[in-house]
Amino acid sequence: MCRAGEDAPISRVGDAAAAGTWRLGDLTVNRIGLGAMRLTGDAAFGLGGPSDRGRAIRVLRRAVELGVNHIDTAAFYFSSLRSANELINTALRPYPDDLIIATKVWPGRDSSGEWWWATPAQLRGQVEENLRQLGRDHLDLVNLRLPRRRVDSVGEHFEVLAGLRDAGLIRHLGISNATAGHLAEARSIAPVVCVQNAYGIGAPAEAHALLRVCGEQGVAFVPFFSIAGEGREVDAAAAEDDVRVRAVARAHGATAAQVRLAWALHQGPHVLVIPGTGDPDHLIENVAAGSLRLTDEELVRLSAPVPEDE
């Protein structure tokens, strides 16, 4: 493990357990997971060009070899020829006993790629779709993914998921793209084990506040776009423009992406990162970020507002 100021780079091959573990209800996960969104092709949320199927399967199998036991997916992660759930099924079934697969419902996409949003009565169909695609008799974790437009209440939708949890189709529940108010409402209905929101260096004050609330309540905080930054689904490389990130990366012999992941992990023991990639080399680098320890000075610098001249 490299400290600031040392010349040796961090190890390229790490273990997902290097960053420690957290419990999602009664399930223990390593804090570095894998997001399946980028396994299907070159468009994050579109049909786009399909990925190389064999390479995507190799990424999934390599992830498990590196200790990743938390994979985030959704039935709406698909390209013109690839489905994230089908790739996971093919690559990893029969599933390792310690593997937790998290999925999301409420949004959906039809075969043409057009988006639609489920009514409470349609949520069971979305859950069953994930079950079929993954080849499971229950789902480890289902996140209720809220629309980007403001939603005042999650009650009707979350009550349906709570009923499916009671029926044994779902083991644990979470919410995504949510506020502290949504979390409080959901917890009044059923236990919530995680909040999955956009979060990374440069996140607004309300995002930091929600992360703290989750920590106080023992709820995992699972950031997405922790490398690319909020709203940068397409151009993840743009996030590397921050000169502070590049400076810290040079000091550790690391990449900017590794610094961003390490910074997120340093925000609390309840933070679980799920960087997505379809590239085996990027996977190795992402997992190795769990061994990167930032100094207090570096954390303060990276957490400060970006100077206007940067």
Side-chain angles (χ1 to χ4, degrees), residues 8-32:
I10 65 172
S11 171
R12 277 184 53 81
V13 180
D15 186 309
T21 62
W22 185 258
R23 289 185 67 80
L24 295 169
D26 61 343
L27 304 173
T28 300
V29 296
N30 292 326
R31 293 178 63 214
I32 293 186

Side-chain angles (χ1 to χ4, degrees), residues 98-114:
D98 67 339
L99 178 64
I100 288 85
I101 300 176
T103 189
K104 292 173 283 296
V105 296
W106 198 345
R109 292 168 66 206
D110 64 25
S111 58
S112 71
E114 289 298 314

Side-chain angles (χ1 to χ4, degrees), residues 18 30 42 87 95 132 145 163 189 238 242 274-275 282 287 302:
N30 292 326
D42 58 11
L87 290 168
Y95 297 112
R132 287 193 301 270
R145 178 66 160 86
I189 297 168
D242 191 324
I274 48 170
H282 290 167
V287 172
L302 292 172

Side-chain angles (χ1 to χ4, degrees), residues 34 36 39 52-65 68 71 82-96 99 101 133-135 283:
L34 172 68
L39 290 173
D52 180 292
R53 189 168 185 274
R55 178 164 138 158
I57 288 173
R58 288 195 299 274
V59 167
L60 285 160
R61 290 175 176 167
R62 184 62 171 139
V64 171
E65 291 172 356
V68 170
I71 296 178
R82 306 280 177 259
S83 155
N85 283 353
E86 185 275 329
L87 290 168
I88 293 168
N89 186 331
T90 299
L92 301 178
R93 251 183 114 200
Y95 297 112
L99 178 64
I101 300 176
Q133 292 177 351
L134 291 166
L283 168 70

Side-chain angles (χ1 to χ4, degrees), residues 146-188:
L146 279 65
R148 287 189 176 181
R149 68 180 186 275
R150 180 171 178 81
V151 174
D152 292 330
S153 173
V154 298
E156 286 188 78
H157 284 78
F158 205 76
E159 284 174 357
V160 172
L161 294 186
L164 296 176
R165 175 181 175 269
D166 293 342
L169 295 182
I170 301 171
R171 192 162 181 174
H172 295 295
L173 299 175
I175 53 176
S176 178
N177 200 37
T179 66
H182 295 137
L183 174 60
E185 181 184 20
R187 292 186 77 213
S188 73

